Amino acid sequence: MRTDTGEFTRWIRDFQAASLLREMWGDPDWSEGARLAPELVRSLQRFQTGENGDGRALIGKADRAGDPDYAEAIRLFVAEERNHARLLARLLEAAGAPTIPGHWTDAVFVRVRRSLGLRTELMVLMLAEVVALRYYRALSEGCADLLTAEVGGRILADELRHVPFHCERLRRGFRASPSPVRMLAAAGWWALLAGAVTVVVLDHGQALRHLGVSRAAFVRDVLTGFRGIVADVMGAA
């Protein structure tokens, strides 16, 4: 029996259109090289590891959700995330810096996500998305290196589409839940965000300052964006 998860065919078209545009534009001009401060190199290395998962666990859960359109859209989402990892790896290469095999923050994040069901995994994944929105905006707007700013802008454009995509699935997932359940889930979600954003500002604070964003401003902007996401997903809760 097919589960009612909504009209995800439009998201398939959206991901496919974005892929076609990337093919038309081609890659940035890596030959120009990049000049990056050491604190920004370290920050980008950690974000690159976070984008570099294979997505098999998420794809498997999407397959079991019962909607082939949603499962296909998830595969296209994972492909975009892997392209982000590729772009960041090429950017680091252009700056003469290596990628790193992993980082403890990403290892913990992935372990928590994979231990959960689809709905809860998407809630945890959304924490990374809302942080990424503000980070890549800072990269695209605050980095003096033109190649880095371009890469940040390209990734930001994708992340701006990822958030409503996940919101739609989560909104439908909570649609039948009573108000007390949604309120409890929202409270837990906020608690997880508080922990996640604290780790990010401690781990990437120097890079953010280099990009002209204080820790306090970063936290404020992430909380503001997340407030809208919770309202969208949980409704009146």
Side-chain angles (χ1 to χ4, degrees):
M1 182 177 68
R2 179 171 173 145
T3 301
D4 178 17
T5 54
E7 292 297 327
F8 283 99
T9 53
R10 72 182 182 93
W11 286 108
I12 293 175
R13 292 194 297 268
D14 181 86
F15 282 116
Q16 290 174 337
S19 178
L20 181 60
L21 281 176
R22 284 193 296 273
E23 289 181 14
M24 292 173 59
W25 290 338
D27 264 11
D29 185 0
W30 306 114
S31 66
E32 293 296 317
R35 296 172 62 99
L36 299 177
E39 58 268 29
L40 195 51
V41 168
R42 290 191 294 271
S43 179
L44 289 169
Q45 286 171 327
R46 294 167 188 176
F47 264 84
Q48 196 274 336
T49 64
E51 301 275 12
N52 202 30
D54 59 21
R56 283 182 296 177
L58 180 59
I59 289 171
K61 293 173 187 177
D63 286 340
R64 292 189 292 273
D67 184 340
D69 291 337
Y70 178 66
E72 176 61 21
I74 281 291
R75 283 174 167 79
L76 295 170
F77 158 74
V78 169
E80 283 195 349
E81 292 289 289
R82 290 185 62 79
N83 186 57
H84 296 172
R86 184 187 68 84
L87 289 172
L88 292 175
R90 292 296 304 273
L91 176 61
L92 288 166
E93 181 184 1
T99 58
I100 58 177
H103 190 256
W104 72 266
T105 53
D106 181 59
V108 170
F109 181 76
V110 170
R111 180 167 296 181
V112 170
R113 278 178 45 198
R114 289 180 176 175
S115 67
L116 304 168
L118 176 61
R119 186 173 72 176
T120 313
E121 175 164 0
L122 290 178
M123 293 175 73
V124 176
L125 179 60
M126 188 68 87
L127 304 179
E129 298 288 350
V130 72
V131 166
L133 280 177
R134 187 61 186 96
Y135 180 83
Y136 290 118
R137 178 157 70 90
L139 201 65
S140 65
E141 296 177 354
C143 190
D145 181 78
L146 294 181
L147 179 60
T148 304
E150 181 181 352
V151 170
R154 288 186 182 215
I155 297 176
L156 176 62
D158 289 339
E159 298 293 355
L160 286 168
R161 296 172 22 258
H162 292 176
V163 167
F165 167 60
H166 294 312
C167 276
E168 181 168 339
R169 181 65 179 86
L170 284 169
R171 186 169 56 249
R172 293 175 181 276
F174 278 103
R175 184 167 52 192
S177 299
S179 182
V181 171
R182 285 184 281 123
M183 291 178 65
L184 185 61
W189 211 6
W190 274 108
L192 288 172
L193 177 72
V197 77
T198 298
V199 170
V200 170
V201 296
L202 290 176
D203 209 24
H204 300 270
Q206 291 183 335
L208 292 171
R209 186 165 58 249
H210 178 81
L211 296 171
V213 180
S214 69
R215 285 182 169 95
F218 185 85
V219 171
R220 183 182 63 246
D221 291 345
V222 169
L223 294 183
T224 298
F226 192 65
R227 186 174 295 112
I229 289 170
V230 174
D232 182 20
V233 170
M234 301 298 179

